[in-house]
């Protein structure tokens, strides 16, 4: 890893280390901010002592990051438009990274200080959107092109519907448990258990389910939220030291050939569908240049881009053999081809079978650009795991006692945690970022309503307020910081 950073100018190296520190700080804060939700119910119900719960939650968060892949990481990265991703520039990368991280960290610390279960996912997404919109304004790009709105809509839908699903499913599970075992001790609160049964801990089976579901929440939280940190670090590395990270330099000859073959098959695919796609892609027409000025991807320059990519990769068995400029160019070609293929897949008139083939080709195209070195995954896993072990008390109290007018019962804790683990696990399958905070807190709220315990208006109002304000606040903050940083670099 060290050799990747050798030969860098001192100011670039210092900037890189600071940017990496910012990302890891964000993940550390995420650990004690969001992950406190994963252990809130298991601590409140006294199923586990706080020190053990927090320790094991940290371990399972660590494992979740290590084993979670990078699908969610690049879902976050691709919130930015492809034009911003291919514009590789050290100063530009620094402005982008520091702006969005400063905004995200500021909001996270503020909401944590007041014990409000706000979402680190919302925070990060708002910060990224702010940078994209500010970049569009600065460079006279239409706001419609300033952000990958389709990806933003997909992510927004997952962030909006997952808490609603959490509320409903947790409520239904609790109703089912009360119907199945209406007189069970699992429907007692820890306080009632202590007073009536003179027992400190939940009944054995309830305790076991609470512990297992809490660790499951920690694992899926690590595999979802941890990937956001991985995506941020890749933005940092590609933005500041592009020559070393725009492509996966550890790619095997087979992987490079797979990329080249995918490019060739993509060309054949377009020729095969010339009648449907010919006008959109300007097939067979001479277009000067392989990419337009200002790093804008243009579907009508697809053929020259394919030709340029195949020419650059001809005979290449190792990406190390390419010059720094060639690596940057190859990534630009690949990202633009992928972006165009994504647009083509949404065009009417293309058969479902052809769209399925196109999706497979897109995955092969991005094999060597959507990656993360193991040391990046390990660093994020450690930061998230260690952060879990600090600062959990404020959020535990909010989840356990301040959402409902009565304390949480064991069955409520089980219902909320099982729901949270299941929904986040499902989101991981589809590479969608969701908020552990909002899914769990809405799940607890659902069980309070189902249990007829009532909700505390003040806490629910604060949670909803944070949910509503997080996006506009972080969009505005990161956009302002990026504008200031860009002006400073431009002067």
């Amino acid at each position: 890893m060290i050799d990747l950073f050798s030969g860098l100018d001192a100011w670039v190296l210092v900037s890189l280390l600071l940017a990496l520190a910012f990302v890891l700080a964000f993940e550390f804060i995420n650990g004690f901010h969001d992950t406190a939700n994963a252990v809130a119910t298991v601590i409140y119900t006294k199923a586990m002592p706080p020190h053990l719960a927090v320790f094991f939650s940290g371990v399972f968060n660590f494992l979740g990051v290590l084993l979670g892949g990078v699908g969610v990481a690049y879902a976050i990265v691709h919130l930015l438009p492809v034009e911003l991703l291919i514009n590789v520039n050290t100063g530009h990368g620094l402005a982008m990274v520091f702006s969005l991280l400063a905004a995200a960290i500021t909001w996270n610390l503020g909401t944590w200080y007041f014990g409000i279960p706000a979402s680190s996912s919302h925070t990060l997404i708002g910060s990224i959107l702010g940078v994209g919109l500010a970049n569009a304004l600065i460079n006279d790009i239409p706001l419609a092109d300033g952000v990958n709105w389709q990806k933003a809509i997909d992510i927004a839908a997952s962030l909006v519907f997952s808490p609603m699903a959490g509320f409903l499913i947790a409520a239904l599970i609790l109703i089912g448990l009360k119907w199945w075992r209406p007189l069970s001790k699992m429907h007692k609160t820890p306080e009632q258990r202590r007073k009536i049964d003179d027992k400190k801990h939940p009944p054995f089976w309830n305790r076991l389910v609470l512990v297992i579901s809490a660790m499951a929440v920690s694992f899926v939280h690590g595999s979802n939220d941890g990937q956001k940190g991985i995506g941020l670090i890749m933005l940092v590395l590609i933005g500041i030291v592009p020559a070393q990270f725009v492509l996966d330099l550890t790619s095997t000859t087979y992987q490079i050939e797979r990329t080249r073959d995918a490019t060739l098959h993509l060309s054949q695919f377009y020729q095969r569908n010339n009648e449907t796609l010919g006008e959109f892609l300007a097939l067979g027409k001479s277009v000067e240049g392989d990419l337009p000025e200002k790093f804008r991807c243009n579907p009508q320059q697809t053929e020259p881009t394919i030709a340029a990519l195949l020419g650059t990769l001809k005979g290449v068995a190792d990406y190390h053999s390419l010059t720094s400029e060639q690596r940057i160019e190859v990534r630009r070609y690949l990202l633009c081809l992928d972006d165009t293929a994504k647009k083509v897949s949404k065009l009417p008139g293309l058969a479902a079978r052809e769209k399925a083939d196109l999706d497979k080709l897109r995955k092969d195209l991005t094999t060597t650009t959507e990656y993360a070195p193991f040391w990046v995954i390990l660093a994020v896993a450690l930061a998230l795991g260690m952060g879990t072990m600090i600062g959990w008390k404020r959020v535990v109290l909010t989840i356990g006692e301040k959402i409902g007018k009565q304390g949480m019962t064991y069955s409520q804790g089980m219902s909320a945690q099982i729901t949270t683990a299941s929904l986040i696990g499902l989101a991981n399958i589809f590479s969608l970022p969701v908020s552990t905070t909002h899914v769990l807190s809405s799940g607890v709220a659902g069980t309070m309503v189902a249990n007829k315990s009532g909700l505390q208006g003040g806490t629910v109002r604060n949670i909803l307020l944070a949910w509503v304000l997080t996006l506009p606040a972080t969009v505005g903050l990161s956009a302002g910081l990026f504008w200031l940083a860009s002006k400073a670099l431009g002067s």
Side-chain angles (χ1 to χ4, degrees), residues 18-47:
L18 279 174
L20 293 176
F22 260 61
V23 176
L24 295 177
F26 172 81
E27 280 304 311
F28 183 82
I29 293 167
N30 189 9
F32 68 71
H33 187 278
D34 270 26
T35 315
N37 293 279
V39 293
T41 52
V42 81
I43 291 175
Y44 179 77
T45 55
K46 295 180 172 56

PDB file of all heavy atoms in Angstrom, residues 18-47:
ATOM      1  N   LEU A  18      -5.248  13.903   5.324  1.00  0.00           N
ATOM      2  CA  LEU A  18      -6.328  14.630   5.999  1.00  0.00           C
ATOM      3  C   LEU A  18      -7.690  14.159   5.508  1.00  0.00           C
ATOM      4  O   LEU A  18      -8.623  13.965   6.296  1.00  0.00           O
ATOM      5  CB  LEU A  18      -6.188  16.137   5.760  1.00  0.00           C
ATOM      6  CG  LEU A  18      -5.186  16.890   6.629  1.00  0.00           C
ATOM      7  CD1 LEU A  18      -5.070  18.339   6.172  1.00  0.00           C
ATOM      8  CD2 LEU A  18      -5.615  16.841   8.100  1.00  0.00           C
ATOM      9  N   ALA A  19      -7.819  13.968   4.195  1.00  0.00           N
ATOM     10  CA  ALA A  19      -9.091  13.522   3.625  1.00  0.00           C
ATOM     11  C   ALA A  19      -9.453  12.126   4.132  1.00  0.00           C
ATOM     12  O   ALA A  19     -10.609  11.857   4.493  1.00  0.00           O
ATOM     13  CB  ALA A  19      -9.019  13.529   2.100  1.00  0.00           C
ATOM     14  N   LEU A  20      -8.455  11.231   4.174  1.00  0.00           N
ATOM     15  CA  LEU A  20      -8.710   9.884   4.693  1.00  0.00           C
ATOM     16  C   LEU A  20      -9.108   9.939   6.161  1.00  0.00           C
ATOM     17  O   LEU A  20     -10.001   9.203   6.617  1.00  0.00           O
ATOM     18  CB  LEU A  20      -7.471   9.003   4.510  1.00  0.00           C
ATOM     19  CG  LEU A  20      -7.101   8.665   3.060  1.00  0.00           C
ATOM     20  CD1 LEU A  20      -5.801   7.864   3.013  1.00  0.00           C
ATOM     21  CD2 LEU A  20      -8.220   7.876   2.387  1.00  0.00           C
ATOM     22  N   ALA A  21      -8.450  10.826   6.925  1.00  0.00           N
ATOM     23  CA  ALA A  21      -8.792  10.990   8.338  1.00  0.00           C
ATOM     24  C   ALA A  21     -10.229  11.481   8.488  1.00  0.00           C
ATOM     25  O   ALA A  21     -10.959  11.033   9.384  1.00  0.00           O
ATOM     26  CB  ALA A  21      -7.816  11.959   9.007  1.00  0.00           C
ATOM     27  N   PHE A  22     -10.642  12.385   7.608  1.00  0.00           N
ATOM     28  CA  PHE A  22     -12.016  12.894   7.650  1.00  0.00           C
ATOM     29  C   PHE A  22     -13.021  11.762   7.403  1.00  0.00           C
ATOM     30  O   PHE A  22     -14.041  11.663   8.083  1.00  0.00           O
ATOM     31  CB  PHE A  22     -12.194  13.984   6.588  1.00  0.00           C
ATOM     32  CG  PHE A  22     -12.113  15.380   7.119  1.00  0.00           C
ATOM     33  CD1 PHE A  22     -10.951  15.830   7.731  1.00  0.00           C
ATOM     34  CD2 PHE A  22     -13.180  16.242   7.013  1.00  0.00           C
ATOM     35  CE1 PHE A  22     -10.859  17.114   8.224  1.00  0.00           C
ATOM     36  CE2 PHE A  22     -13.105  17.540   7.510  1.00  0.00           C
ATOM     37  CZ  PHE A  22     -11.942  17.983   8.116  1.00  0.00           C
ATOM     38  N   VAL A  23     -12.738  10.919   6.411  1.00  0.00           N
ATOM     39  CA  VAL A  23     -13.660   9.821   6.098  1.00  0.00           C
ATOM     40  C   VAL A  23     -13.750   8.852   7.275  1.00  0.00           C
ATOM     41  O   VAL A  23     -14.841   8.433   7.680  1.00  0.00           O
ATOM     42  CB  VAL A  23     -13.209   9.051   4.835  1.00  0.00           C
ATOM     43  CG1 VAL A  23     -14.133   7.860   4.592  1.00  0.00           C
ATOM     44  CG2 VAL A  23     -13.219   9.958   3.621  1.00  0.00           C
ATOM     45  N   LEU A  24     -12.584   8.496   7.825  1.00  0.00           N
ATOM     46  CA  LEU A  24     -12.588   7.552   8.941  1.00  0.00           C
ATOM     47  C   LEU A  24     -13.241   8.169  10.176  1.00  0.00           C
ATOM     48  O   LEU A  24     -13.891   7.472  10.965  1.00  0.00           O
ATOM     49  CB  LEU A  24     -11.155   7.101   9.245  1.00  0.00           C
ATOM     50  CG  LEU A  24     -10.496   6.287   8.114  1.00  0.00           C
ATOM     51  CD1 LEU A  24      -9.060   5.934   8.467  1.00  0.00           C
ATOM     52  CD2 LEU A  24     -11.297   5.005   7.819  1.00  0.00           C
ATOM     53  N   ALA A  25     -13.099   9.489  10.329  1.00  0.00           N
ATOM     54  CA  ALA A  25     -13.782  10.178  11.432  1.00  0.00           C
ATOM     55  C   ALA A  25     -15.297  10.099  11.233  1.00  0.00           C
ATOM     56  O   ALA A  25     -16.055   9.887  12.190  1.00  0.00           O
ATOM     57  CB  ALA A  25     -13.333  11.633  11.505  1.00  0.00           C
ATOM     58  N   PHE A  26     -15.728  10.265   9.979  1.00  0.00           N
ATOM     59  CA  PHE A  26     -17.155  10.148   9.683  1.00  0.00           C
ATOM     60  C   PHE A  26     -17.661   8.753  10.052  1.00  0.00           C
ATOM     61  O   PHE A  26     -18.727   8.601  10.660  1.00  0.00           O
ATOM     62  CB  PHE A  26     -17.412  10.425   8.200  1.00  0.00           C
ATOM     63  CG  PHE A  26     -18.829  10.151   7.761  1.00  0.00           C
ATOM     64  CD1 PHE A  26     -19.820  11.079   7.997  1.00  0.00           C
ATOM     65  CD2 PHE A  26     -19.149   8.961   7.128  1.00  0.00           C
ATOM     66  CE1 PHE A  26     -21.135  10.821   7.611  1.00  0.00           C
ATOM     67  CE2 PHE A  26     -20.456   8.702   6.735  1.00  0.00           C
ATOM     68  CZ  PHE A  26     -21.441   9.644   6.979  1.00  0.00           C
ATOM     69  N   GLU A  27     -16.903   7.723   9.683  1.00  0.00           N
ATOM     70  CA  GLU A  27     -17.327   6.358   9.996  1.00  0.00           C
ATOM     71  C   GLU A  27     -17.269   6.090  11.499  1.00  0.00           C
ATOM     72  O   GLU A  27     -18.110   5.373  12.045  1.00  0.00           O
ATOM     73  CB  GLU A  27     -16.447   5.341   9.252  1.00  0.00           C
ATOM     74  CG  GLU A  27     -16.835   5.149   7.811  1.00  0.00           C
ATOM     75  CD  GLU A  27     -18.280   4.756   7.637  1.00  0.00           C
ATOM     76  OE1 GLU A  27     -18.747   3.820   8.315  1.00  0.00           O
ATOM     77  OE2 GLU A  27     -18.974   5.391   6.829  1.00  0.00           O
ATOM     78  N   PHE A  28     -16.277   6.666  12.182  1.00  0.00           N
ATOM     79  CA  PHE A  28     -16.178   6.515  13.630  1.00  0.00           C
ATOM     80  C   PHE A  28     -17.412   7.134  14.298  1.00  0.00           C
ATOM     81  O   PHE A  28     -18.030   6.535  15.182  1.00  0.00           O
ATOM     82  CB  PHE A  28     -14.901   7.202  14.123  1.00  0.00           C
ATOM     83  CG  PHE A  28     -14.652   7.041  15.595  1.00  0.00           C
ATOM     84  CD1 PHE A  28     -14.055   5.896  16.095  1.00  0.00           C
ATOM     85  CD2 PHE A  28     -14.988   8.050  16.487  1.00  0.00           C
ATOM     86  CE1 PHE A  28     -13.826   5.746  17.453  1.00  0.00           C
ATOM     87  CE2 PHE A  28     -14.755   7.923  17.839  1.00  0.00           C
ATOM     88  CZ  PHE A  28     -14.175   6.766  18.333  1.00  0.00           C
ATOM     89  N   ILE A  29     -17.771   8.348  13.855  1.00  0.00           N
ATOM     90  CA  ILE A  29     -18.958   9.022  14.388  1.00  0.00           C
ATOM     91  C   ILE A  29     -20.206   8.225  14.031  1.00  0.00           C
ATOM     92  O   ILE A  29     -21.134   8.086  14.840  1.00  0.00           O
ATOM     93  CB  ILE A  29     -19.050  10.458  13.834  1.00  0.00           C
ATOM     94  CG1 ILE A  29     -17.894  11.302  14.379  1.00  0.00           C
ATOM     95  CG2 ILE A  29     -20.391  11.107  14.186  1.00  0.00           C
ATOM     96  CD1 ILE A  29     -17.712  12.627  13.665  1.00  0.00           C
ATOM     97  N   ASN A  30     -20.239   7.689  12.826  1.00  0.00           N
ATOM     98  CA  ASN A  30     -21.350   6.842  12.402  1.00  0.00           C
ATOM     99  C   ASN A  30     -21.497   5.661  13.347  1.00  0.00           C
ATOM    100  O   ASN A  30     -22.608   5.235  13.678  1.00  0.00           O
ATOM    101  CB  ASN A  30     -21.089   6.345  10.972  1.00  0.00           C
ATOM    102  CG  ASN A  30     -22.281   5.634  10.370  1.00  0.00           C
ATOM    103  OD1 ASN A  30     -23.368   5.633  10.924  1.00  0.00           O
ATOM    104  ND2 ASN A  30     -22.071   5.017   9.234  1.00  0.00           N
ATOM    105  N   GLY A  31     -20.351   5.135  13.829  1.00  0.00           N
ATOM    106  CA  GLY A  31     -20.371   4.003  14.739  1.00  0.00           C
ATOM    107  C   GLY A  31     -21.116   4.310  16.016  1.00  0.00           C
ATOM    108  O   GLY A  31     -21.988   3.546  16.439  1.00  0.00           O
ATOM    109  N   PHE A  32     -20.784   5.434  16.663  1.00  0.00           N
ATOM    110  CA  PHE A  32     -21.476   5.703  17.921  1.00  0.00           C
ATOM    111  C   PHE A  32     -22.779   6.477  17.725  1.00  0.00           C
ATOM    112  O   PHE A  32     -23.546   6.672  18.663  1.00  0.00           O
ATOM    113  CB  PHE A  32     -20.571   6.401  18.946  1.00  0.00           C
ATOM    114  CG  PHE A  32     -20.147   7.808  18.623  1.00  0.00           C
ATOM    115  CD1 PHE A  32     -21.042   8.858  18.665  1.00  0.00           C
ATOM    116  CD2 PHE A  32     -18.821   8.092  18.337  1.00  0.00           C
ATOM    117  CE1 PHE A  32     -20.631  10.151  18.407  1.00  0.00           C
ATOM    118  CE2 PHE A  32     -18.404   9.386  18.074  1.00  0.00           C
ATOM    119  CZ  PHE A  32     -19.324  10.419  18.110  1.00  0.00           C
ATOM    120  N   HIS A  33     -23.037   6.904  16.492  1.00  0.00           N
ATOM    121  CA  HIS A  33     -24.277   7.643  16.204  1.00  0.00           C
ATOM    122  C   HIS A  33     -25.357   6.679  15.721  1.00  0.00           C
ATOM    123  O   HIS A  33     -26.403   6.549  16.344  1.00  0.00           O
ATOM    124  CB  HIS A  33     -23.983   8.686  15.121  1.00  0.00           C
ATOM    125  CG  HIS A  33     -25.113   9.615  14.855  1.00  0.00           C
ATOM    126  ND1 HIS A  33     -26.159   9.268  14.042  1.00  0.00           N
ATOM    127  CD2 HIS A  33     -25.367  10.878  15.280  1.00  0.00           C
ATOM    128  CE1 HIS A  33     -27.017  10.277  13.987  1.00  0.00           C
ATOM    129  NE2 HIS A  33     -26.563  11.267  14.715  1.00  0.00           N
ATOM    130  N   ASP A  34     -25.111   5.993  14.634  1.00  0.00           N
ATOM    131  CA  ASP A  34     -26.112   5.092  14.067  1.00  0.00           C
ATOM    132  C   ASP A  34     -26.120   3.728  14.756  1.00  0.00           C
ATOM    133  O   ASP A  34     -27.166   3.154  14.992  1.00  0.00           O
ATOM    134  CB  ASP A  34     -25.848   4.882  12.568  1.00  0.00           C
ATOM    135  CG  ASP A  34     -26.582   5.916  11.729  1.00  0.00           C
ATOM    136  OD1 ASP A  34     -26.840   7.005  12.273  1.00  0.00           O
ATOM    137  OD2 ASP A  34     -26.879   5.633  10.568  1.00  0.00           O
ATOM    138  N   THR A  35     -24.934   3.210  15.051  1.00  0.00           N
ATOM    139  CA  THR A  35     -24.873   1.837  15.539  1.00  0.00           C
ATOM    140  C   THR A  35     -25.406   1.714  16.943  1.00  0.00           C
ATOM    141  O   THR A  35     -25.747   0.620  17.384  1.00  0.00           O
ATOM    142  CB  THR A  35     -23.420   1.316  15.471  1.00  0.00           C
ATOM    143  OG1 THR A  35     -22.869   1.684  14.225  1.00  0.00           O
ATOM    144  CG2 THR A  35     -23.380  -0.184  15.594  1.00  0.00           C
ATOM    145  N   ALA A  36     -25.502   2.824  17.675  1.00  0.00           N
ATOM    146  CA  ALA A  36     -26.135   2.779  18.987  1.00  0.00           C
ATOM    147  C   ALA A  36     -27.543   2.217  18.875  1.00  0.00           C
ATOM    148  O   ALA A  36     -28.047   1.557  19.793  1.00  0.00           O
ATOM    149  CB  ALA A  36     -26.174   4.177  19.586  1.00  0.00           C
ATOM    150  N   ASN A  37     -28.171   2.442  17.716  1.00  0.00           N
ATOM    151  CA  ASN A  37     -29.514   1.905  17.507  1.00  0.00           C
ATOM    152  C   ASN A  37     -29.508   0.382  17.486  1.00  0.00           C
ATOM    153  O   ASN A  37     -30.492  -0.253  17.882  1.00  0.00           O
ATOM    154  CB  ASN A  37     -30.077   2.431  16.183  1.00  0.00           C
ATOM    155  CG  ASN A  37     -30.318   3.924  16.224  1.00  0.00           C
ATOM    156  OD1 ASN A  37     -31.325   4.378  16.731  1.00  0.00           O
ATOM    157  ND2 ASN A  37     -29.387   4.695  15.716  1.00  0.00           N
ATOM    158  N   ALA A  38     -28.420  -0.204  17.012  1.00  0.00           N
ATOM    159  CA  ALA A  38     -28.349  -1.656  16.916  1.00  0.00           C
ATOM    160  C   ALA A  38     -28.333  -2.316  18.292  1.00  0.00           C
ATOM    161  O   ALA A  38     -28.792  -3.446  18.451  1.00  0.00           O
ATOM    162  CB  ALA A  38     -27.106  -2.075  16.126  1.00  0.00           C
ATOM    163  N   VAL A  39     -27.812  -1.619  19.296  1.00  0.00           N
ATOM    164  CA  VAL A  39     -27.728  -2.199  20.640  1.00  0.00           C
ATOM    165  C   VAL A  39     -28.717  -1.565  21.605  1.00  0.00           C
ATOM    166  O   VAL A  39     -28.765  -1.928  22.776  1.00  0.00           O
ATOM    167  CB  VAL A  39     -26.297  -2.069  21.207  1.00  0.00           C
ATOM    168  CG1 VAL A  39     -25.323  -2.915  20.419  1.00  0.00           C
ATOM    169  CG2 VAL A  39     -25.841  -0.622  21.249  1.00  0.00           C
ATOM    170  N   ALA A  40     -29.502  -0.601  21.128  1.00  0.00           N
ATOM    171  CA  ALA A  40     -30.405   0.123  22.025  1.00  0.00           C
ATOM    172  C   ALA A  40     -31.382  -0.813  22.726  1.00  0.00           C
ATOM    173  O   ALA A  40     -31.540  -0.757  23.954  1.00  0.00           O
ATOM    174  CB  ALA A  40     -31.170   1.191  21.234  1.00  0.00           C
ATOM    175  N   THR A  41     -32.046  -1.682  21.957  1.00  0.00           N
ATOM    176  CA  THR A  41     -33.063  -2.538  22.561  1.00  0.00           C
ATOM    177  C   THR A  41     -32.450  -3.624  23.439  1.00  0.00           C
ATOM    178  O   THR A  41     -32.977  -3.948  24.499  1.00  0.00           O
ATOM    179  CB  THR A  41     -33.933  -3.190  21.475  1.00  0.00           C
ATOM    180  OG1 THR A  41     -33.088  -3.815  20.518  1.00  0.00           O
ATOM    181  CG2 THR A  41     -34.769  -2.154  20.766  1.00  0.00           C
ATOM    182  N   VAL A  42     -31.333  -4.175  23.014  1.00  0.00           N
ATOM    183  CA  VAL A  42     -30.726  -5.265  23.777  1.00  0.00           C
ATOM    184  C   VAL A  42     -30.146  -4.754  25.099  1.00  0.00           C
ATOM    185  O   VAL A  42     -30.113  -5.475  26.102  1.00  0.00           O
ATOM    186  CB  VAL A  42     -29.662  -6.004  22.922  1.00  0.00           C
ATOM    187  CG1 VAL A  42     -28.328  -5.282  22.908  1.00  0.00           C
ATOM    188  CG2 VAL A  42     -29.480  -7.426  23.371  1.00  0.00           C
ATOM    189  N   ILE A  43     -29.707  -3.504  25.130  1.00  0.00           N
ATOM    190  CA  ILE A  43     -29.226  -2.900  26.383  1.00  0.00           C
ATOM    191  C   ILE A  43     -30.406  -2.494  27.259  1.00  0.00           C
ATOM    192  O   ILE A  43     -30.433  -2.767  28.462  1.00  0.00           O
ATOM    193  CB  ILE A  43     -28.323  -1.685  26.094  1.00  0.00           C
ATOM    194  CG1 ILE A  43     -27.003  -2.149  25.453  1.00  0.00           C
ATOM    195  CG2 ILE A  43     -28.038  -0.903  27.371  1.00  0.00           C
ATOM    196  CD1 ILE A  43     -26.097  -1.012  25.025  1.00  0.00           C
ATOM    197  N   TYR A  44     -31.385  -1.839  26.647  1.00  0.00           N
ATOM    198  CA  TYR A  44     -32.523  -1.352  27.428  1.00  0.00           C
ATOM    199  C   TYR A  44     -33.281  -2.503  28.089  1.00  0.00           C
ATOM    200  O   TYR A  44     -33.715  -2.398  29.234  1.00  0.00           O
ATOM    201  CB  TYR A  44     -33.473  -0.554  26.533  1.00  0.00           C
ATOM    202  CG  TYR A  44     -34.680  -0.060  27.291  1.00  0.00           C
ATOM    203  CD1 TYR A  44     -34.578   1.040  28.136  1.00  0.00           C
ATOM    204  CD2 TYR A  44     -35.909  -0.721  27.195  1.00  0.00           C
ATOM    205  CE1 TYR A  44     -35.676   1.476  28.872  1.00  0.00           C
ATOM    206  CE2 TYR A  44     -37.002  -0.288  27.919  1.00  0.00           C
ATOM    207  CZ  TYR A  44     -36.886   0.810  28.757  1.00  0.00           C
ATOM    208  OH  TYR A  44     -37.961   1.236  29.488  1.00  0.00           O
ATOM    209  N   THR A  45     -33.427  -3.632  27.351  1.00  0.00           N
ATOM    210  CA  THR A  45     -34.159  -4.774  27.914  1.00  0.00           C
ATOM    211  C   THR A  45     -33.286  -5.629  28.833  1.00  0.00           C
ATOM    212  O   THR A  45     -33.751  -6.633  29.360  1.00  0.00           O
ATOM    213  CB  THR A  45     -34.691  -5.672  26.779  1.00  0.00           C
ATOM    214  OG1 THR A  45     -33.598  -6.073  25.932  1.00  0.00           O
ATOM    215  CG2 THR A  45     -35.727  -4.933  25.939  1.00  0.00           C
ATOM    216  N   LYS A  46     -32.025  -5.209  28.988  1.00  0.00           N
ATOM    217  CA  LYS A  46     -31.072  -5.933  29.845  1.00  0.00           C
ATOM    218  C   LYS A  46     -30.835  -7.366  29.385  1.00  0.00           C
ATOM    219  O   LYS A  46     -30.555  -8.265  30.180  1.00  0.00           O
ATOM    220  CB  LYS A  46     -31.534  -5.902  31.314  1.00  0.00           C
ATOM    221  CG  LYS A  46     -31.542  -4.490  31.902  1.00  0.00           C
ATOM    222  CD  LYS A  46     -31.992  -4.471  33.338  1.00  0.00           C
ATOM    223  CE  LYS A  46     -31.812  -3.081  33.948  1.00  0.00           C
ATOM    224  NZ  LYS A  46     -32.475  -2.014  33.218  1.00  0.00           N
ATOM    225  N   ALA A  47     -30.953  -7.581  28.084  1.00  0.00           N
ATOM    226  CA  ALA A  47     -30.620  -8.886  27.527  1.00  0.00           C
ATOM    227  C   ALA A  47     -29.112  -9.091  27.527  1.00  0.00           C
ATOM    228  O   ALA A  47     -28.630 -10.230  27.580  1.00  0.00           O
ATOM    229  CB  ALA A  47     -31.166  -9.004  26.104  1.00  0.00           C
TER     230      ALA A  47
END
